[in-house]
Amino acid sequence: MHEYVLILIVAAGVTYIATPFVRSLAVATGAFTAVRDRDVHKTPIPRLGGVGIYLGFVAAALVARNLPYLGTLFADRQILGVLAAGGIVCLLGAFDDIRELDWLTKLAGQILAAGLMAYAGVQLLSLPISGTTILPTPVLVLVTVLVVIATTNAVNFIDGLDGLAAGVVGIAALAFFIYSYIVSRDFVPANVFSVATLISAALVGCCAGFLPHNFNPARLFMGDSGALTLGLLLSAATITLTGNVDPSEVTANQVTAVFLPLLVPVAVLLLPFLDMLLAVIRRTRAGKRPWHPDAMHLHHRMLRIGHSHRRAVLIMYLWAAIVALGSVSFVVWEGWRPLGVISVATVIGVVLTVWLPKWRPHERL
């Protein structure tokens, strides 16, 4: 565990230190987010924060390569593939932050990055459905690419309030770190040092290091360079583990064994996916393109019912934690305890979401 703690600290420290320099670069290159009708900020804010996040991840990987246990993971190409793919989407996003790119160019870059990861071995080898379901390799590669594209765009969709995307991804990565660490202990032979756990630990650190600069009032936005990078890294972590888990090894409970290997990856990404799904449905029903922006995201609705900027973000964190950490609790505890904890947390979440604006309207935390 101490090697993972070191990786988290390195990722957080480098991201935190690099981000002010990235902000200066954003100002110098004119990478500003202009004030639009759907935005909640009142003045142009520099973006390009994903460069600092990526530098933090690279630093964590370089340190991991020289550690006695995590260093053994570099024997194959998976982590190098993730680093290369992350570099592609970060560069792509940086160009978009400085000079707007069309949607087709960004999609092509995401497909290229996902394909590169799959070529390096970061792909689903099977699906944990009805035990373990083996599909033809081309089908699994296609599913892998679709997962990467969906995740990167889901994170991009939810990046609408200061600190929201970084916090939600950080919570998701923490939940998946716990899950992959526990599951890896049951491998034969037992080995808690896995690519999924390493990526998750570094991702938690990157988000923690970026949040002090990005939480309301933000001094720097992550931009597409950050949203695409975070989405790709989170998808890489889930992909490297999900297709390699025997459901019977996750838990002794046969019912949860069937669902957990699929439930946890979906749960940790549920909030961004839900927001993206609702946006696509809403826009297509209105006769608009799915990527046409609007001010109807979940975070916009939180502001509309009376929450302040900070409070809306913190409550979104709470919901992300309820879903992500709640799903992982089924691996930690047996019996009805997880359901009890999730039920209590859900009631608290509903009360804070619905009634808090009535009790303390527009209260700044």
Side-chain angles (χ1 to χ4, degrees):
M1 177 62 79
H2 68 279
E3 290 193 3
Y4 286 124
V5 173
L6 175 61
I7 292 304
L8 191 156
I9 292 173
V10 169
V14 172
T15 302
Y16 179 79
I17 293 171
T19 297
F21 296 98
V22 173
R23 186 185 186 281
S24 299
L25 177 63
V27 173
T29 56
F32 282 88
T33 299
V35 179
R36 300 158 295 189
D37 291 339
R38 69 180 188 274
D39 291 329
V40 297
H41 60 283
K42 304 301 182 184
T43 58
I45 305 293
R47 53 191 178 186
L48 210 64
V51 175
I53 293 171
Y54 180 70
L55 291 175
F57 184 78
V58 171
L62 291 174
V63 172
R65 188 170 189 173
N66 293 285
L67 296 177
Y69 296 107
L70 289 177
T72 60
L73 300 176
F74 289 80
D76 59 30
R77 302 177 300 178
Q78 285 189 328
I79 297 179
L80 294 179
V82 172
L83 285 169
I88 290 174
V89 296
C90 183
L91 185 62
L92 177 76
F95 274 115
D96 185 66
D97 290 340
I98 297 171
R99 183 173 298 175
E100 295 281 347
L101 298 176
D102 61 273
W103 69 269
L104 188 58
T105 301
K106 291 193 284 187
L107 178 61
Q110 293 169 41
I111 294 174
L112 174 64
L116 179 60
M117 281 207 315
Y119 177 76
V122 182
Q123 62 172 289
L124 294 167
L125 303 179
S126 63
L127 294 177
I129 302 174
S130 299
T132 300
T133 301
I134 306 295
L135 297 175
T137 300
V139 175
L140 290 172
V141 170
L142 177 60
V143 173
T144 299
V145 172
L146 291 176
V147 169
V148 173
I149 293 174
T151 308
T152 53
N153 284 281
V155 174
N156 203 7
F157 271 55
I158 205 173
D159 183 27
L161 294 180
D162 297 355
L164 181 57
V168 168
V169 171
I171 292 169
L174 175 62
F176 205 76
F177 170 81
I178 296 170
Y179 175 69
S180 58
Y181 187 88
I182 293 174
V183 169
S184 299
R185 290 188 309 185
D186 295 327
F187 286 169
V188 180
N191 182 14
V192 297
F193 298 99
S194 66
V195 173
T197 319
L198 170 59
I199 295 174
S200 299
L203 190 51
V204 173
C206 290
C207 293
F210 184 68
L211 268 175
H213 304 282
N214 185 235
F215 198 73
N216 182 259
R219 295 187 295 275
L220 178 71
F221 290 160
M222 66 170 62
D224 272 24
S225 59
L228 298 181
T229 301
L230 290 181
L232 181 132
L233 293 177
L234 190 56
S235 66
T238 57
I239 287 169
T240 53
L241 184 68
T242 302
N244 296 279
V245 173
D246 181 354
S248 63
E249 294 180 353
V250 176
T251 173
N253 187 310
Q254 292 302 308
V255 176
T256 54
V258 172
F259 296 106
L260 273 182
L262 278 179
L263 172 64
V264 174
V266 172
V268 298
L269 296 165
L270 183 61
L271 198 60
F273 278 163
L274 177 62
D275 190 47
M276 181 176 68
L277 178 62
L278 292 175
V280 171
I281 294 174
R282 179 176 65 248
R283 293 166 186 174
T284 52
R285 289 183 63 182
K288 300 177 180 178
R289 295 177 178 179
W291 55 87
H292 188 277
D294 60 28
M296 296 294 291
H297 288 281
L298 293 177
H299 48 270
H300 290 124
R301 296 173 187 268
M302 295 287 287
L303 296 175
R304 201 166 289 125
I305 65 175
H307 290 289
S308 67
H309 192 128
R310 287 190 177 188
R311 194 165 68 192
V313 171
L314 292 174
I315 292 178
M316 295 284 278
Y317 287 176
L318 173 62
W319 282 112
I322 290 172
V323 177
L325 296 174
S327 66
V328 174
S329 68
F330 286 97
V331 182
V332 179
W333 296 319
E334 294 287 343
W336 292 96
R337 188 185 300 179
L339 289 176
V341 173
I342 293 172
S343 299
V344 172
T346 301
V347 171
I348 294 173
V350 171
V351 170
L352 292 177
T353 302
V354 177
W355 280 286
L356 190 56
K358 301 176 182 178
W359 295 335
R360 304 179 71 179
H362 302 289
E363 182 83 12
R364 293 188 62 86
L365 296 182

